[in-house]
Amino acid sequence: MSRIPPQKAPLFGGPGWTAILLAGQRPGVDPLAEAFGETWKAQVRIAGEAMLSRVAKTLLGTPGIDRIVVLAQEPEALFTGDCAWLADEPKVTTARSTSGIAASVAALAGSAATPFPVLLTTADHPLLTPAMVEAAMAGLGDADVGVGMVAASTLLAAYPDNKRTWLRFRGEAWTGANLFALGTPKAKLALEAWSAVERDRKKALKLLWHFGPLLAIRAATRTITLAGALAQASKRLGFRAVPIALPFAEAGIDIDKPSDHALAEAILMTREAS
């Protein structure tokens, strides 16, 4: 892991949280970056500022976050333009991603420079607020892993036309919030499982099938809740995972396509105007 700049090393090893900020992208040309004339998705500007810069400022402004590791294929290449200030921020370091997100995070989490507890989020989440981050950290409790989720009833009440990937369980459908709380070394077991299912993360039934046919059938027939499904899957793998139901509709909106960008920009402009 490289530190930027070396003369301003972060104060690692404190009692607070480490935030790993995912700022890489999949191989090939990213459609959103291309649409906005950028090489890197994280540098796409929204409401006048690059997404990576916005998310980093949110994390730094959240009580309890002591350090940030920006994880990307070429993290130093991102620290230009709006994001140039990150190179001089003593609480920020960088790490290069490897063959996959989960494997890259597993290589960092729990190290001397990236101690537990760890909060994982993404650069394409410019609507993130300190309140959302604090809720995700508090929601972990004594579990090994917490998964930030937003209920369909919460998100669609505020943004009825928004298109998300929904995981449907008994009583409610859910979408991810790109917020994960990793509390203990057992979280590495979750990262191993994530690595195995990473390519199916947006295909609900295929994802659940990795944890056994019975669980997949119960989810398909909506005879199990999200909390029940996470409890069963994680117990089978040797750790305890809990869903963290976030009461913020915007927590479920990340930026994958121009329509997401337009919605998020309108939300940010309204926020900043008020």
Side-chain angles (χ1 to χ4, degrees), residues 10-103:
L11 301 175
F12 290 130
W17 286 66
T18 302
I20 297 179
L21 178 49
L22 304 178
Q25 59 197 41
R26 297 189 177 280
V29 176
D30 182 89
L32 188 75
E34 185 178 42
F36 288 91
E38 298 287 351
T39 301
W40 303 102
K41 181 181 180 183
Q43 288 187 316
V44 169
R45 302 185 94 215
I46 186 164
E49 185 174 6
M51 295 196 293
L52 173 59
S53 179
R54 283 187 174 276
V55 177
K57 286 177 180 177
T58 295
L59 293 171
L60 289 171
T62 302
I65 298 290
D66 280 4
R67 61 199 73 82
I68 300 173
V69 181
V70 177
L71 179 63
Q73 290 96 337
E74 297 180 38
E76 294 87 352
L78 299 174
F79 291 3
T80 60
D82 293 344
C83 303
W85 66 272
L86 289 163
D88 297 316
E89 171 51 58
K91 291 186 177 181
V92 174
T93 63
T94 65
R96 291 185 179 272
S97 56
T98 54
S99 57
I101 297 172

Side-chain angles (χ1 to χ4, degrees), residues 155-206:
L155 197 154
L156 296 178
Y159 307 104
D161 298 326
N162 193 248
K163 305 298 182 184
R164 295 287 109 192
T165 299
W166 298 108
L167 299 174
R168 301 183 184 278
F169 293 91
R170 190 178 76 201
E172 185 62 275
W174 301 85
T175 193
N178 283 5
L179 282 168
F180 301 88
L182 312 178
T184 74
K186 285 189 176 182
K188 286 183 175 286
L189 297 172
L191 292 168
E192 290 175 10
W194 181 9
S195 183
V197 305
E198 205 167 324
R199 69 178 59 187
D200 294 328
R201 75 194 191 286
K202 290 197 173 184
K203 299 174 184 176
L205 287 180
K206 288 187 71 176

Side-chain angles (χ1 to χ4, degrees), residues 47 54 264-274:
R54 283 187 174 276
E265 188 161 59
I267 294 168
L268 286 168
M269 292 178 72
T270 298
R271 273 186 196 169
E272 290 168 8
S274 62

